[in-house]
Amino acid sequence: MQKMNPYKIDIGAVYSHRPNQHNTVKSGSFLALEKELVFDIDMTDYDDVRSCCSGADICPKCWTLMTIAIRILDRALRDDFGFRHCLWVYSGRRGVHCWVCDEAARKLSVAARSAVAEYLSLVKGGDETVRKVVLSDPIHPFITESLTVVERYFSQYALLGQDILGSKEAVDKVLALLPEDVRKKLLQYFQTEKNPETRWETLKSMAQDKRTTAKKGHYFEMEIMLQYCYPRLDVNVSKGVNHLLKSPFSVHPKTGRISVPIDLKELDRFDPFDVPTISLICEELDQPKTEEEQEDTMEIENKKEAGERRKMRDYKRTSLAKYVKLFDQFLEGMAHSRKGELLKNSDLQKDF
Amino acid sequence: MQFYSRRKKLIGNSQTEQLYGHCLQFYGQPPIENISLSEFETFAVDRLKLLKTVENLGVSYVKTSEQYTKKLDAEFSNLNFPYKIEADDRKPQTGPSEYEKRRKDHISHFILRLAYCQTEDLRRWFIQQEIDLFRYRFNDLPSKNIREFLEYNNLHYHTISIDEKKNLMDKLINSSFAVSGSTVDCKDFYKVPFQDALDLVRTRKVYLKGGYVYIPHQDIVTIVLNDFRTRLSKALALTARSLPAVQSDERLQPLLNHLSHAYVGQDYSIQKSIGKISLEQIDPLSAKSYPLCMRQLHRGLRDSHHLRHGGRMQYGLFLKGIGLTLDQALQFWRSEFVKGKVDADKFDKAYAYSIRHMFGKEGKRTDYTPYSCMKVILSNPPSQGDQHGCPFRHSDPELLKQKLQSYKVSPSGISQILELVKGMHYQLACQKYFELTHSIEDSGFSLNHPNQYFMESQKLLVGPGAGVKVEVKREDNPATKPPNPSPHQTPGPGNLPQEVAAEITEDLDSFFQDA
């Protein structure tokens, strides 16, 4: 790969034949055999509900949307679908990717991928749609679980950070999602009550009241929370078996940031602006080695080949070290699983 | 199947009785018997009429409503297909016996497989109608027969224990509208891998845990349907491969050709009117003769000087369908994009390629056909920033109402349209829009394609002779020979006499024209 010096590296499926020879193969025989199930969450898809930034920009305030997205989707992929090997990666600019690498996930058909993506989709509609989340009885456990996550962040993120019940403009957008009678009552109420958190509590209690009196379920406070915070994924990215996605650890051409894996154990502390850039890595590589490092390399020198020596020394001196370690742990997890499967299968075949 | 010209009398024996032991089947085994050509033809045409009815009813009514089932019942009995378990088989019956009806069901299915396996479109249509048909019949089965059917077809889905049911009680109730506490207590719940229940997963109508869905007995139909769809899809692919052998039989070929040509609908891909539309006409045409979806796309394009991919495909192919040439299309899109953020160079680099692709001048040179209503409604729903899709399906009803008001549709007309939208009859809503904007009572056609809308509109406004002419292109099959029997054929025991053959094709023609 060093010889090819690629401009960009995208990863797709494993095919039955070499892709560049697909024309030589009888039509119908060239097939995608396996591909990770992937998800792409892009901040621009939230432009209608974030007031701090728009387009390709992100800031610590709206980054919370990614945190929420990762928590909700990761839980669903693990608990609901039973997938155990999900790698979350920062895309380098304005979003995150998820690579689901379980064997069962890799073998999913296009229809299955599309079904998984639809199951995970709650926000529907384009510019023409005002109310993008519509909930009705019964509320599926998946929605309940997702709401639990959103609730943890809603006050800090939406009420304070995005100030959705502050300015008139923002308030109008929220009110547009409510039934007529509730909207009128709240407009009046908001004339005197200015505190966003109190406003929200009132809105919530109005929803609860409506639920006890009306026959139909009214879930507008939940719909608002979901419309403002629930992950918006591009179904087409997840559906396609021929789709390509940026490789982890590649460099984003516009920001220079490396696409690094995200540590879910430290998710709330992940800062996209702290992610190493290619220039930083180069700088770090250029630094002279410390004495300690020199000693280490002397030891290793005796044991490994030159190329590997160089490899091991280099990235460990940079900020990439911890991310590579994360990736290694992920791979170890997968290797462990695979060994377990192989053992299980050979046991079943009475092959000791 | 072997064919002889003389009708062979069937003798029911124990073996064949077992073959049709159940009124519903997966069509796993092809029939192994001899039948006459005329029976071959009757069976095929009857089943086709049935499937066509299934399609029409499916568009006009919700598939589980009473009107739907009543009308379909009537069609079933008219055409002598098995549809209800006869309460008492020994009751004297007029007309064909249950056994004969099941045999007809079996054989006609396989005949239509031959006719509908050749192209993707044909296969998709056939599978869709067969699935709807299967669902209708399965839903009709009493639960004892369902259990029998499952066993008979080796669908072993495991039930969960009573303890597990108790633990999951709340979750199960909240996952499905139809499931209550008593359902959980009394009925069986099956644990099925989620890959076998994609429809239920997709719509979140079922409880999903650890990769398994928990399905109440009454919902097993969806699972069974999925299984049916997969089997049929594979079977059609296999059939396509052995088709050349069948097509070389001159007796079958005309019939099979006719069967597959008439029912996929026009695809508006070849226009006699190429070049008859000038770019200046597009704006006024968009107001007068475009269906709402295209009017919206055109408006979106004019307003923001840009359309996203979904919009470009839907609108671009529509323009091709109404007669724009490639050069006109390039000029049209370029002039609009250049007014926006895209300069001429970028346009040529990035967008021109995809327009040429649409016209079949790039890549694998497929001449893409303009999207039908079904395609627009069902696939690729628009999201944030998109303008494509069907406004009756994808727009918020409030916004739709405002838009119709701005287009000067009368208030009563608008409420009629909104009623249809509420009932999910999107194409009927669009038809109503057509009727209101053209000030006529009855459109006189059944809308299923945006280009059809345009064509009908032009017919009304400009007259059928003049103006935009569309030559309807039937699904062309390069592998088949012309439908008429060769003039050198002499009447004999193995061949159809020429007059009879011509008669058959004429009859078929006139039947197929009525839709």
Side-chain angles (χ1 to χ4, degrees), chain A residues 79-80 114 119 121 126 128 140, chain B residues 202 204 206 208 210-211 383 399:
Chain A
D79 295 347
D80 295 3
S114 150
Y119 175 89
S121 298
E128 299 282 300
H140 193 278
Chain B
R202 179 194 308 272
R204 230 179 288 116
V206 69
L208 173 64
S383 43
L399 287 176

Side-chain angles (χ1 to χ4, degrees), chain A residues 19-145:
Chain A
N20 57 9
Q21 293 176 354
H22 75 276
N23 286 319
T24 66
V25 175
K26 192 166 65 142
S27 92
S29 311
F30 180 75
L31 296 167
L33 297 173
E34 284 189 26
K35 182 182 180 295
E36 291 84 1
L37 174 61
V38 294
F39 296 95
D40 182 351
I41 320 274
D42 194 324
M43 200 70 94
T44 45
D45 290 337
Y46 294 81
D47 279 356
D48 59 319
V49 291
R50 52 176 184 149
S51 54
C52 51
C53 315
S54 72
D57 298 324
I58 59 169
C59 72
K61 279 204 242 172
C62 49
W63 184 258
T64 314
L65 286 170
M66 294 294 118
T67 310
I68 297 177
I70 295 178
R71 285 213 191 280
I72 291 182
L73 295 176
D74 196 68
R75 184 215 67 81
L77 290 168
R78 262 171 227 291
D79 295 347
D80 295 3
F81 286 99
F83 295 131
R84 282 153 56 215
H85 303 287
C86 306
L87 180 71
W88 286 93
V89 177
Y90 170 52
S91 77
R93 184 158 65 144
R94 62 188 191 205
V96 293
H97 300 158
C98 179
W99 296 79
V100 184
C101 305
D102 295 60
E103 189 175 350
R106 302 197 308 260
K107 301 216 158 112
L108 288 178
S109 65
V110 171
R113 286 161 207 263
S114 150
V116 173
E118 297 275 349
Y119 175 89
L120 298 170
S121 298
L122 278 178
V123 181
K124 308 211 167 123
D127 283 335
E128 299 282 300
T129 319
V130 174
R131 196 171 147 218
K132 298 190 166 80
V133 181
V134 180
L135 298 179
S136 53
D137 280 315
I139 300 292
H140 193 278
F142 167 75
I143 299 181
T144 317
E145 292 287 341

Side-chain angles (χ1 to χ4, degrees), chain B residues 159-286:
Chain B
T159 52
I160 60 177
S161 68
I162 299 193
D163 281 333
E164 207 173 351
K165 272 204 278 183
K166 236 190 285 200
N167 286 336
L168 298 175
M169 169 81 80
D170 282 334
K171 304 254 164 79
L172 291 174
I173 298 181
N174 282 325
S175 303
S176 166
F177 196 73
V179 172
S180 65
S182 59
T183 325
V184 180
D185 283 331
C186 315
K187 307 278 185 171
D188 282 331
F189 270 75
Y190 298 82
K191 193 167 152 180
V192 174
F194 84 90
Q195 291 92 329
D196 287 350
L198 291 179
D199 278 337
L200 290 174
V201 170
R202 179 194 308 272
T203 51
R204 230 179 288 116
K205 287 209 160 80
V206 69
Y207 179 56
L208 173 64
K209 184 170 100 147
Y212 288 93
V213 291
Y214 292 76
I215 306 198
H217 187 80
Q218 65 245 35
D219 283 344
I220 225 66
V221 59
T222 322
I223 315 297
V224 174
L225 275 181
N226 267 353
D227 201 289
F228 181 58
R229 183 200 303 262
T230 321
R231 291 182 196 212
L232 189 52
S233 205
K234 285 201 194 128
L236 282 179
L238 279 173
T239 314
R241 255 171 258 171
S242 38
L243 198 57
V246 176
Q247 283 183 327
S248 61
D249 188 326
E250 286 163 355
R251 300 168 297 169
L252 301 182
Q253 210 215 70
L255 179 69
L256 291 179
N257 255 1
H258 256 99
L259 285 175
S260 61
H261 281 185
Y263 279 86
V264 177
Q266 308 162 359
D267 61 10
Y268 301 93
S269 59
I270 291 188
Q271 316 307 323
K272 241 197 200 135
S273 62
I274 291 182
K276 287 223 179 101
I277 299 221
S278 76
L279 294 182
E280 295 83 51
Q281 290 176 289
I282 290 190
D283 275 325
L285 276 177
S286 77

Side-chain angles (χ1 to χ4, degrees), chain A residues 3 85 103 112 163 170 177 180 188 268 293 312 340 352:
Chain A
K3 252 190 276 172
H85 303 287
E103 189 175 350
D163 201 27
L177 304 174
E180 187 75 41
Q188 207 172 10
D268 284 314
E293 285 169 338
M312 279 192 58
F352 298 112

Side-chain angles (χ1 to χ4, degrees), chain B residues 261 265-272 455 469-476:
Chain B
H261 281 185
Q266 308 162 359
D267 61 10
Y268 301 93
S269 59
I270 291 188
Q271 316 307 323
K272 241 197 200 135
M455 194 184 86
K469 266 202 272 261
V470 172
E471 178 183 85
V472 164
K473 175 179 183 255
R474 306 266 165 169
E475 281 290 334
D476 224 25

Side-chain angles (χ1 to χ4, degrees), chain A residues 232-352:
Chain A
R232 300 174 177 208
L233 34 96
D234 184 349
V235 175
N236 290 317
V237 167
S238 310
K239 262 200 324 203
V241 152
N242 289 320
H243 199 275
L244 298 175
L245 192 61
K246 193 139 136 330
S247 168
F249 291 105
S250 41
V251 182
H252 196 289
K254 301 222 169 80
T255 61
R257 293 206 190 272
I258 315 276
S259 250
V260 292
I262 300 179
D263 187 355
L264 257 56
K265 296 203 276 283
E266 306 278 320
L267 182 58
D268 284 314
R269 281 193 285 189
F270 180 82
D271 181 0
F273 298 100
D274 202 31
V275 169
T277 59
I278 185 69
S279 358
L280 176 68
I281 307 288
C282 292
E283 264 176 47
E284 289 171 336
L285 283 174
D286 286 337
Q287 301 283 358
K289 284 191 284 190
T290 65
E291 267 194 39
E292 199 184 287
E293 285 169 338
Q294 298 241 19
E295 275 178 28
D296 279 345
T297 52
M298 293 298 257
E299 262 190 52
I300 299 167
E301 213 129 32
N302 302 329
K303 301 183 187 172
K304 307 243 183 199
E305 296 175 13
E308 275 216 50
R309 265 183 269 148
R310 215 180 313 128
K311 250 196 307 182
M312 279 192 58
R313 267 180 270 156
D314 290 355
Y315 84 79
K316 279 203 170 157
R317 295 199 287 128
T318 69
S319 317
L320 268 186
K322 68 173 178 180
Y323 298 106
V324 178
K325 187 156 172 240
L326 222 77
F327 188 61
D328 280 338
Q329 283 170 347
F330 177 76
L331 294 178
E332 265 168 57
M334 285 199 63
H336 193 72
S337 277
R338 188 160 174 273
K339 232 196 315 176
E341 277 301 312
L342 290 175
L343 277 177
K344 213 170 36 159
N345 284 336
S346 76
D347 279 352
L348 284 173
Q349 288 168 16
K350 315 274 192 232
D351 182 24
F352 298 112

